[in-house]
């Protein structure tokens, strides 16, 4: 495994190709059988936004905004944003036995199994090699301690960012999510304005409304019901604590409490990550 890690830290293309191949093989050795992504801990090394080969993980509850912040950092750092949620949705849009199986799992509010997630991620990393990708920001993986152990045996994760948001806000955000059925854009109609009380700070998040031409085409995800969202959050809390502890004891976990919406949270997140943002300062309020 030492030799493997040395190889992974070298050439980026070898890194991605090897990761895809070895996630599958290491998982198999672990007993998997495959079917037919405010700072309180951890310190992010200072990094120039133009640098590449970042190998970060984003953790956080469903609806916390992992995809939003990971994709912004992906553009800033020039590395691919690999979201396991997107991989699952792509597979749901396909046809075949796995698509049907995933549809049933998602509609019940259950979490997709380790076997399926690792299989999808392996394929995505292999595909990235052909595109010349280097480095990555993983969003939604690892989700269990077992996945974290497999990933550690494959490649060196530099930093794990754990985004946090109070549960009542998470619920409102999830129930406010909308998708444009035409362009596929993601929006949120929830207007959150919670006053501080009993020592807890207030939090305000304006809606992320679509352009006028998308307004009449907004749809709600089938799994964004209060019952399903609460079940997803319960399952996440149950599984996430061992993952957080796994990275905490390794000194790689950076916990960040979102203080509000994007305009307020983005610059503070950049400071927590020791990033010098040259390209997107003006887009923070977008």
């Amino acid at each position: 495994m030492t030799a493997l890690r040395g190889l992974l830290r070298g050439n980026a293309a070898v890194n991605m190709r090897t990761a895809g191949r070895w996630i599958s093989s290491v998982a198999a050795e672990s007993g998997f059988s495959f079917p037919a992504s405010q700072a309180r801990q951890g310190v992010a090394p200072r990094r120039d936004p133009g640098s590449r080969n970042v190998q970060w993980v984003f953790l956080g509850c469903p609806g916390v905004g992992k995809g939003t912040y990971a994709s912004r950092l992906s553009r800033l750092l020039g590395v691919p944003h690999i979201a396991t949620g997107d991989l699952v949705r792509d597979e749901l849009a396909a046809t075949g036995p796995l698509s049907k199986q995933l549809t049933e799992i998602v509609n019940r509010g259950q979490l997709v199994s380790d076997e399926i997630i690792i299989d999808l991620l392996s394929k995505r990393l292999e595909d990235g090699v052909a595109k010349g990708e280097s480095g990555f920001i993983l969003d939604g993986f690892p989700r269990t301690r077992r996945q974290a152990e497999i990933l550690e045996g494959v490649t060196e994760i530099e930093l794990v960012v754990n985004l946090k948001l109070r549960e009542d806000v998470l619920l409102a955000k999830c129930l406010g999510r909308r998708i444009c059925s035409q362009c596929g854009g993601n929006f949120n109609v929830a207007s959150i304005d919670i006053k501080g009380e009993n020592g807890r700070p207030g939090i305000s998040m304006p809606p992320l409304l679509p352009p006028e031409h998308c307004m009449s085409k907004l749809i709600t995800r089938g799994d964004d019901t209060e019952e399903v969202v609460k079940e997803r959050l319960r399952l996440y809390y149950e599984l996430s604590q061992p993952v957080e502890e796994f990275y905490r004891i390794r000194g790689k976990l950076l916990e960040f409490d979102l203080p509000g919406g994007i305009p307020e949270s983005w610059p503070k997140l950049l400071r927590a990550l020791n990033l010098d943002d040259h390209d997107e300062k003006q887009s923070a309020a977008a």
Side-chain angles (χ1 to χ4, degrees):
M1 192 60 70
T2 301
L4 171 62
R5 285 178 177 163
L7 180 65
L8 287 168
R9 294 192 187 102
N11 182 272
V14 173
N15 185 331
M16 299 296 284
R17 182 183 300 110
T18 307
R21 185 165 57 247
W22 279 76
I23 282 179
S24 296
S25 63
V26 173
E29 291 172 4
S30 301
F32 284 108
S33 58
F34 292 102
S37 52
Q38 306 290 354
R40 291 200 297 271
Q41 273 186 249
V43 177
R46 180 162 293 281
R47 186 179 293 275
D48 188 305
S51 64
R52 298 173 67 84
N53 297 323
V54 164
Q55 296 185 176
W56 289 357
V57 166
F58 263 64
L59 300 178
C61 294
V64 75
K66 295 188 299 296
T68 298
Y69 294 102
S71 63
R72 280 174 169 254
L73 286 168
S74 168
R75 293 193 300 271
L76 184 65
L77 297 170
V79 297
H81 165 216
I82 302 176
T84 53
D86 289 343
L87 299 181
V88 170
R89 282 187 284 275
D90 289 344
E91 192 64 36
L92 283 168
T95 58
L98 181 55
S99 175
K100 183 178 179 181
Q101 181 184 357
L102 284 171
T103 299
E104 294 175 353
I105 292 171
V106 170
N107 287 342
R108 289 196 300 265
Q110 297 177 342
L111 295 176
V112 181
S113 70
D114 287 356
E115 293 89 342
I116 293 176
I117 291 295
I118 293 172
D119 192 31
L120 293 175
L121 180 59
S122 299
K123 293 174 183 176
R124 171 62 182 84
L125 292 174
E126 291 279 2
D127 290 343
V129 175
K131 302 175 183 177
E133 293 176 349
S134 61
F136 53 77
I137 296 178
L138 294 182
D139 168 1
F141 184 95
R143 195 188 60 219
T144 66
R145 183 182 176 91
R146 196 175 189 188
Q147 290 179 352
E149 291 169 347
I150 292 170
L151 187 61
E152 185 180 61
V154 171
T155 190
E156 182 72 23
I157 297 299
E158 300 172 348
L159 182 70
V160 178
V161 181
N162 188 24
L163 298 181
K164 295 198 167 187
L165 193 61
R166 45 193 288 180
E167 188 169 335
D168 53 346
V169 177
L170 278 169
L171 182 59
K173 282 191 65 184
C174 287
L175 296 180
R177 291 193 294 197
R178 300 292 186 273
I179 302 170
C180 176
S181 59
Q182 181 171 313
C183 71
N186 290 284
F187 307 100
N188 201 299
V189 299
S191 181
I192 299 168
D193 187 12
I194 299 176
K195 307 299 181 184
E197 58 180 10
N198 299 324
R200 299 181 71 185
I203 187 166
S204 178
M205 289 185 169
L208 181 61
L209 298 176
E212 187 175 345
H213 63 270
C214 290
M215 285 295 291
S216 62
K217 305 176 183 69
L218 295 184
I219 58 174
T220 304
R221 282 171 41 170
D223 57 332
D224 276 346
T225 65
E226 184 169 353
E227 181 181 1
V228 171
V229 169
K230 285 183 175 179
E231 178 64 9
R232 283 209 309 264
L233 291 174
R234 186 193 68 79
L235 288 172
Y236 178 82
Y237 291 135
E238 182 179 310
L239 292 173
S240 67
Q241 291 182 3
V243 179
E244 293 170 14
E245 185 62 21
F246 179 87
Y247 288 114
R248 184 179 291 111
I249 63 177
R250 287 161 175 76
K252 295 183 178 182
L253 185 70
L254 186 148
E255 298 188 295
F256 184 83
D257 291 300
L258 292 165
I262 295 172
E264 186 178 0
S265 298
W266 175 242
K268 292 180 180 179
L269 177 60
L270 290 176
R271 286 197 292 272
L273 293 172
N274 282 325
L275 281 171
D276 295 317
D277 182 12
H278 300 302
D279 298 326
E280 293 198 4
K281 284 182 178 178
Q282 299 304 317
S283 68

